[in-house]
Amino acid sequence: VILTLCVSSSVALIGLGFVIWSLYLYLATILSPYWAALISGAGAVVLAVVVVILVLYLTGYFGRKSKTGLKSGGFGSEPAYDPMEFVQKYPLESGITAAIAGFIVGSSADAPRTLNEFLTLLKETNTK
Protein backbone atom coordinates (compact mmCIF):
# COMPACT_ATOMS: atom_id res chain seq x y z
CA VAL A 1 0.00 0.00 0.00
CA ILE A 2 2.80 2.42 0.90
CA LEU A 3 4.67 1.62 -2.33
CA THR A 4 1.53 2.27 -4.38
CA LEU A 5 1.00 5.55 -2.55
CA CYS A 6 4.61 6.60 -3.19
CA VAL A 7 4.45 5.69 -6.88
CA SER A 8 1.12 7.43 -7.43
CA SER A 9 2.35 10.50 -5.54
CA SER A 10 5.47 10.61 -7.71
CA VAL A 11 3.42 10.33 -10.90
CA ALA A 12 1.07 13.06 -9.65
CA LEU A 13 4.02 15.35 -8.87
CA ILE A 14 5.49 14.74 -12.32
CA GLY A 15 2.10 15.52 -13.87
CA LEU A 16 1.82 18.69 -11.80
CA GLY A 17 5.28 19.68 -12.99
CA PHE A 18 4.17 19.28 -16.61
CA VAL A 19 1.03 21.33 -15.95
CA ILE A 20 3.10 24.15 -14.44
CA TRP A 21 5.62 23.93 -17.28
CA SER A 22 2.83 24.07 -19.88
CA LEU A 23 1.35 27.09 -18.09
CA TYR A 24 4.77 28.76 -18.28
CA LEU A 25 5.12 27.95 -21.99
CA TYR A 26 1.67 29.32 -22.72
CA LEU A 27 2.24 32.49 -20.72
CA ALA A 28 5.65 32.96 -22.35
CA THR A 29 3.89 33.37 -25.70
CA ILE A 30 1.80 36.22 -24.29
CA LEU A 31 4.10 37.80 -21.68
CA SER A 32 7.83 38.13 -21.17
CA PRO A 33 9.53 34.98 -19.86
CA TYR A 34 10.16 36.63 -16.49
CA TRP A 35 6.49 37.40 -15.92
CA ALA A 36 5.48 33.98 -17.18
CA ALA A 37 7.86 32.32 -14.71
CA LEU A 38 6.62 34.52 -11.87
CA ILE A 39 2.96 33.79 -12.56
CA SER A 40 3.44 30.03 -13.02
CA GLY A 41 5.62 29.83 -9.89
CA ALA A 42 3.13 31.85 -7.86
CA GLY A 43 0.36 29.56 -9.08
CA ALA A 44 2.31 26.53 -7.87
CA VAL A 45 2.87 28.15 -4.47
CA VAL A 46 -0.81 29.06 -4.14
CA LEU A 47 -1.79 25.51 -5.06
CA ALA A 48 0.59 24.14 -2.41
CA VAL A 49 -0.83 26.48 0.26
CA VAL A 50 -4.38 25.46 -0.64
CA VAL A 51 -3.46 21.78 -0.39
CA VAL A 52 -1.82 22.28 3.03
CA ILE A 53 -4.81 24.21 4.36
CA LEU A 54 -7.19 21.56 2.99
CA VAL A 55 -5.22 18.75 4.64
CA LEU A 56 -5.11 20.64 7.95
CA TYR A 57 -8.85 21.19 7.75
CA LEU A 58 -9.61 17.57 6.89
CA THR A 59 -7.42 16.26 9.71
CA GLY A 60 -9.25 18.43 12.23
CA TYR A 61 -6.35 20.75 13.01
CA PHE A 62 -8.54 23.86 13.09
CA GLY A 63 -11.21 22.22 15.25
CA ARG A 64 -9.03 21.70 18.31
CA LYS A 65 -9.95 23.82 21.31
CA SER A 66 -7.27 22.88 23.86
CA LYS A 67 -3.50 23.04 23.70
CA THR A 68 -2.10 19.93 22.12
CA GLY A 69 1.11 18.27 23.11
CA LEU A 70 0.76 18.76 26.88
CA LYS A 71 -0.90 16.62 29.49
CA SER A 72 -3.29 18.18 31.95
CA GLY A 73 -0.58 18.18 34.63
CA GLY A 74 -0.08 21.93 34.33
CA PHE A 75 3.19 23.83 34.12
CA GLY A 76 6.26 21.71 33.58
CA SER A 77 4.43 18.59 32.53
CA GLU A 78 5.90 16.20 30.02
CA PRO A 79 4.72 16.08 26.39
CA ALA A 80 1.68 13.88 25.81
CA TYR A 81 3.43 11.95 23.06
CA ASP A 82 6.47 9.74 23.15
CA PRO A 83 8.69 9.97 20.03
CA MET A 84 9.81 6.36 20.44
CA GLU A 85 6.18 5.25 20.51
CA PHE A 86 5.70 7.01 17.17
CA VAL A 87 8.79 5.28 15.73
CA GLN A 88 7.58 1.89 16.95
CA LYS A 89 4.12 2.52 15.50
CA TYR A 90 5.41 3.78 12.11
CA PRO A 91 8.84 2.23 11.52
CA LEU A 92 8.83 2.54 7.72
CA GLU A 93 7.75 6.18 7.69
CA SER A 94 10.26 7.03 10.42
CA GLY A 95 13.05 5.33 8.50
CA ILE A 96 12.17 7.10 5.25
CA THR A 97 12.00 10.44 7.07
CA ALA A 98 15.39 9.80 8.67
CA ALA A 99 16.86 8.88 5.28
CA ILE A 100 15.49 12.04 3.66
CA ALA A 101 16.77 14.18 6.54
CA GLY A 102 20.18 12.52 6.23
CA PHE A 103 20.24 13.21 2.50
CA ILE A 104 19.33 16.87 3.07
CA VAL A 105 21.98 17.25 5.77
CA GLY A 106 24.61 15.68 3.54
CA SER A 107 23.70 17.74 0.47
CA SER A 108 24.52 21.19 1.83
CA ALA A 109 27.24 22.60 4.05
CA ASP A 110 24.76 24.77 5.99
CA ALA A 111 22.04 22.13 6.29
CA PRO A 112 23.30 20.50 9.55
CA ARG A 113 23.36 23.85 11.34
CA THR A 114 19.90 24.79 10.01
CA LEU A 115 18.43 21.40 10.91
CA ASN A 116 19.93 21.63 14.40
CA GLU A 117 18.39 25.09 14.91
CA PHE A 118 15.02 23.85 13.64
CA LEU A 119 15.02 20.83 15.94
CA THR A 120 16.06 22.99 18.90
CA LEU A 121 13.19 25.38 18.23
CA LEU A 122 10.80 22.46 17.78
CA LYS A 123 11.89 20.96 21.11
CA GLU A 124 11.51 24.32 22.88
CA THR A 125 8.04 24.78 21.40
CA ASN A 126 6.91 21.30 22.49
CA THR A 127 8.18 21.71 26.04
CA LYS A 128 6.40 25.03 26.67
Side-chain angles (χ1 to χ4, degrees):
V1 174
I2 298 276
L3 181 63
T4 306
L5 182 64
C6 290
V7 169
S8 63
S9 297
S10 299
V11 170
L13 285 175
I14 291 170
L16 181 63
F18 277 112
V19 168
I20 293 170
W21 181 249
S22 65
L23 175 66
Y24 167 75
L25 290 176
Y26 172 73
L27 290 175
T29 62
I30 300 170
L31 305 168
S32 71
Y34 301 111
W35 281 106
L38 177 68
I39 292 171
S40 60
V45 169
V46 167
L47 179 64
V49 168
V50 167
V51 167
V52 167
I53 290 173
L54 181 67
V55 167
L56 290 176
Y57 177 74
L58 291 175
T59 58
Y61 180 79
F62 296 118
R64 296 182 184 152
K65 300 289 182 197
S66 64
K67 277 188 157 181
T68 57
L70 293 179
K71 291 182 182 175
S72 61
F75 182 76
S77 63
E78 293 296 318
Y81 68 94
D82 180 23
M84 290 309 296
E85 180 181 325
F86 181 82
V87 171
Q88 290 171 354
K89 188 173 181 181
Y90 303 104
L92 179 63
E93 291 84 352
S94 301
I96 291 173
T97 304
I100 291 171
F103 176 76
I104 291 171
V105 168
S107 65
S108 172
D110 290 335
R113 180 180 51 82
T114 305
L115 187 61
N116 187 20
E117 290 174 3
F118 172 73
L119 291 175
T120 303
L121 289 173
L122 184 65
K123 183 178 179 183
E124 289 174 1
T125 303
N126 285 336
T127 57
K128 287 184 180 178

